[in-house]
Amino acid sequence: MDGYLSSISALLHDYAPFINMYIEEYHQSSVIGVLRDAAFLYFLYLVLALIFREIVCYGPFGAIAYYSRIVCSKFFERALELPPFRSKIQKELDPTLAAVQKSVIGESADLDSVKSLPDRGWKKELIEAQFDNLLKLKHSDWESGKVSGAVYHGDTALWDLQAEAFEKFIAANQLHPDVFPAVRKMEAEVVAMTLSLFNAPDSGVGTSTSGGTESLLLACLAAREKARIERGVTNPEMILPVTAHAAFDKAAFYFNICMRKAPIDPNTGKVIISAVKRMINSDTVLIVGSAPNFPHGIIDDIETLSELAVRYKLPLHVDACLGSFVVPFMSQIYGDDFPLFDFRLPGVTSISCDTHKYGMAPKGSSIIMYRDRKLREYQYFVTLGWCGGIYGSPTLAGSRPGALMVGCWATMVRVGKNGYLKQAKEIVKCSSKLKEGINNIPELSVIGDPMGSVVSFTSDSIDIYSLSDRMSKKGWHLSALQSPAAIHYACTGNTDLNTVKALLKDLKSICSELTKEGAGAAKGDTSALYGVNGSVQTGSLTKRIVVGFLDALYKL
Ligand SMILES: *Cc1c(COP(=O)(O)O)cnc(C)c1O
């Protein structure tokens, strides 16, 4: 940094006589000429400042590599749309798209579809019979813990309680607190309980949302609005670890925020703090850390991120969507020296926590928390002139399902601190065994030292995606990761030590199988997809496959 500055000042020194000469000439030139020159110099300054900023951010070679990659992928994306390639590629993609659609629709193709409202409403018995048919469709077996994450507990008594909450409050809508005062109170209590779990100060506030994604969208929106209103920032940027959840990319897409993605240390899996620091500039509106992140289950160094946030007076969001009701109990499991990650750190200004993950609440529920009400206000929407009346709503949705909130409230007070601590201990027991077991498989290595529910692993010797594809054949549903190529398993309430044992046994046998087969090992779909996606030439085709998948969700 100092290097750049001193060379620039040396340059200015050398050119000082010429600059002086130029200024002399100014006195004789026309007003229009002066204005034209000034405009040009200002433009030049803007361009140079932009380039300078990118070089500070990524380093000279890093910036060239970063932008070359973007330009190359854009080039190939456009090129593949040109007539000579387009039809050929479409022909090659068609079978893949058909296969994707077939696998999404699956056995449901054999059932009759209802494509318009029945002329006469169905009898209740017919509906119940159809429920049974639909429930019989072949699906991943989550009850035995073979699915990573997804369903976070299998406690049937808790589901009964949640169903009762639904029955009693089925009509409730939080948009109308006067009609449903009970739900308003329960929602306020859910937010208060979660704030206290994350050690919020007395000024702490929050809102409930429909899930982790909405919580993160709101945290980014609030930070953007804060910077726009308080500092006049019009080209907002946020700095996040490359491992931060995709919902931040979604926020960037919806709210026009530029993302600066900081790399992680390959040994620890934590974001590199010096990289974050280099990315801070006058347009920065938010710094992000995860506790823990989704891909590797690693908690970033939130203590140091907090120091940065305080020093540069920037908001810091901690994404504890996944950590939810496990991470607050870590110090009771690992000891009091477990690093801090919550509101006890002065730089942490917002935290997201998914009640519908390890909080065990019904799906569709998460909490976004703020250090003070001023920051929360920036996520609010208020409009005064609408014909429909004066309107305000705290989150993205208008009407909100009150019954879900009651289910969340009932779950939290039913499980209590003792219940969540017990769950956290079980999960850590399973994930530590898994971590140890994987590190003992010669082909595999765990990324960093995950302390919570997720264990991710890579391989130097075998194709990790082939491992994932062959595990799927044995009924396991692991998550595929990239950059680096890896897979992970997230322990849930449906995982026990037997699950871990069975998982390790299957991993071990497939690893030796792949090692034996060597380079000739047959590759599966995951391998093929990530192969296409990882290449600059073909990366854009992956999007068409994903779009095909999304389209297939609505096919009958
Ligand atoms: C699951 C998750 C989210 C997003 O949550 P959704 O509830 O799926 O919207 C965000 N961050 C992390 C770390 C997560 O694991």
Side-chain angles (χ1 to χ4, degrees):
M1 190 52 215
D2 286 347
Y4 299 120
L5 289 181
S6 60
S7 59
I8 285 178
S9 77
L11 204 70
L12 283 179
H13 187 263
D14 289 349
Y15 283 88
F18 296 101
I19 293 172
N20 281 339
M21 228 167 68
Y22 200 69
I23 291 171
E24 297 264 301
E25 265 184 33
Y26 258 18
H27 297 298
Q28 294 138 30
S29 55
S30 71
V31 176
I32 291 182
V34 172
L35 285 178
R36 192 192 54 213
D37 286 355
F40 175 71
L41 282 176
Y42 182 63
F43 175 72
L44 194 67
Y45 160 78
L46 287 183
V47 170
L48 288 178
L50 271 182
I51 293 174
F52 183 65
R53 176 184 276 194
E54 299 310 301
I55 290 175
V56 170
C57 184
Y58 302 107
F61 297 111
I64 292 170
Y66 179 73
Y67 283 98
S68 314
R69 198 177 163 89
I70 292 181
V71 170
C72 284
S73 350
K74 282 270 165 239
F75 170 79
F76 284 109
E77 186 181 340
R78 287 286 151 83
L80 294 183
E81 275 166 21
L82 294 175
F85 304 110
R86 199 169 53 201
S87 56
K88 186 165 179 291
I89 283 172
Q90 196 58 48
K91 228 179 249 156
E92 283 186 22
L93 269 180
D94 281 343
T96 308
L97 292 172
V100 166
Q101 182 171 322
K102 188 155 180 271
S103 95
V104 169
I105 296 177
E107 284 181 345
S108 73
D110 304 334
L111 294 179
D112 287 336
S113 300
V114 193
K115 292 188 180 166
S116 64
L117 274 177
D119 291 331
R120 292 180 67 93
W122 288 7
K123 287 211 166 57
K124 193 165 163 258
E125 293 73 26
L126 179 57
I127 297 171
E128 283 164 353
Q130 190 63 359
F131 279 160
D132 291 339
N133 287 335
L134 288 161
L135 278 169
K136 274 189 224 130
L137 291 174
K138 188 167 170 288
H139 61 275
S140 305
D141 165 24
W142 55 265
E143 287 96 335
S144 65
K146 287 193 129 180
V147 176
S148 163
V151 183
Y152 286 76
H153 76 96
D155 181 343
T156 48
L158 207 48
W159 278 324
D160 289 343
L161 179 68
Q162 293 167 353
E164 199 180 321
F166 254 75
E167 218 172 298
K168 287 212 163 73
F169 292 88
I170 194 78
N173 180 352
Q174 288 129 291
L175 191 61
H176 304 293
D178 49 340
V179 189
F180 306 103
V183 179
R184 187 210 65 81
K185 184 165 181 349
M186 282 184 266
E187 180 178 6
E189 288 178 1
V190 162
V191 172
M193 285 189 274
T194 315
L195 281 162
S196 114
L197 202 55
F198 284 84
N199 296 295
D202 291 342
S203 61
V205 293
T207 66
S208 72
T209 69
S210 62
T213 299
E214 188 180 348
S215 291
L216 296 180
L217 289 176
L218 290 169
C220 295
L221 176 65
R224 189 197 75 173
E225 285 305 281
K226 177 183 165 66
R228 187 178 65 81
I229 291 165
E230 296 179 9
R231 290 161 42 206
V233 174
T234 50
N235 295 307
E237 293 185 1
M238 58 183 175
I239 304 169
L240 43 145
V242 285
T243 45
H245 195 270
F248 287 104
D249 297 56
K250 206 176 201 177
F253 171 62
Y254 285 168
F255 302 137
N256 270 320
I257 304 170
C258 168
M259 286 181 291
R260 298 272 184 200
K261 294 204 175 179
I264 53 167
D265 178 326
N267 293 317
T268 62
K270 295 178 194 216
V271 69
I272 300 174
I273 303 285
S274 57
V276 172
K277 192 173 162 212
R278 275 204 308 277
M279 291 178 171
I280 297 175
N281 62 45
S282 57
D283 286 334
T284 307
V285 303
L286 181 68
I287 301 176
V288 171
S290 312
N293 63 45
F294 170 83
H296 310 143
I298 300 288
I299 304 180
D300 288 311
D301 178 359
I302 308 292
E303 290 176 341
T304 316
L305 286 177
S306 162
E307 285 168 20
L308 269 190
V310 169
R311 176 152 19 122
Y312 290 93
K313 296 196 176 64
L314 287 169
L316 168 61
H317 180 81
V318 174
D319 179 6
C321 282
L322 182 61
S324 55
F325 284 49
V326 168
V327 73
F329 296 95
M330 293 292 222
S331 58
Q332 287 181 59
I333 297 174
Y334 288 104
D336 285 340
D337 54 353
F338 191 81
L340 295 181
F341 54 84
D342 61 18
F343 285 113
R344 282 171 291 180
L345 297 171
V348 174
T349 50
S350 56
I351 301 180
S352 49
C353 164
D354 284 0
T355 32
H356 72 192
K357 283 185 178 159
Y358 297 104
M360 299 191 237
K363 278 287 179 232
S365 134
S366 168
I367 310 295
I368 174 71
M369 296 169 272
Y370 296 100
R371 180 172 286 281
D372 56 54
R373 20 180 317 279
K374 197 154 172 230
L375 191 51
R376 178 177 65 177
E377 193 180 321
Y378 288 124
Q379 77 165 44
Y380 286 173
F381 176 74
V382 177
T383 185
L384 305 178
W386 180 38
C387 301
I390 297 168
Y391 182 95
S393 83
T395 59
L396 293 181
S399 289
R400 288 185 294 152
L404 262 185
M405 179 38 66
V406 179
C408 178
W409 179 87
T411 305
M412 285 172 70
V413 292
R414 174 80 188 92
V415 177
K417 278 189 187 147
N418 60 336
Y420 288 119
L421 175 61
K422 186 163 164 268
Q423 169 188 247
K425 280 182 174 164
E426 284 294 314
I427 281 170
V428 167
K429 193 169 78 189
C430 290
S431 69
S432 326
K433 272 269 172 276
L434 182 60
K435 186 163 70 175
E436 193 188 303
I438 290 173
N439 272 330
N440 283 334
I441 300 177
E443 287 87 353
L444 303 180
S445 55
V446 171
I447 297 180
D449 184 21
M451 313 291 268
S453 55
V454 171
V455 180
S456 72
F457 43 101
T458 58
S459 175
D460 289 336
S461 57
I462 58 164
D463 175 26
I464 199 84
Y465 299 133
S466 297
L467 172 61
S468 174
D469 282 331
R470 292 190 191 189
M471 288 295 281
S472 301
K473 294 220 174 83
K474 290 187 185 273
W476 294 99
H477 193 300
L478 307 178
S479 299
L481 316 168
Q482 59 184 339
S483 318
I487 50 180
H488 89 202
Y489 178 84
C491 301
T492 68
N494 298 305
T495 314
D496 61 16
L497 287 178
N498 287 326
T499 326
V500 174
K501 222 163 130 188
L503 176 58
L504 286 169
K505 185 166 160 270
D506 286 345
L507 282 174
K508 207 178 269 175
S509 79
I510 298 176
C511 278
S512 346
E513 195 180 294
L514 286 167
T515 303
K516 236 177 259 149
E517 292 171 30
K523 299 209 160 160
D525 290 345
T526 313
S527 247
L529 182 64
Y530 281 91
V532 168
N533 192 43
S535 135
V536 172
Q537 285 92 332
T538 56
S540 65
L541 299 181
T542 320
K543 184 166 178 190
R544 295 213 222 158
I545 299 173
V546 179
V547 169
F549 168 81
L550 297 176
D551 285 347
L553 297 176
Y554 295 92
K555 281 262 161 57
L556 284 174

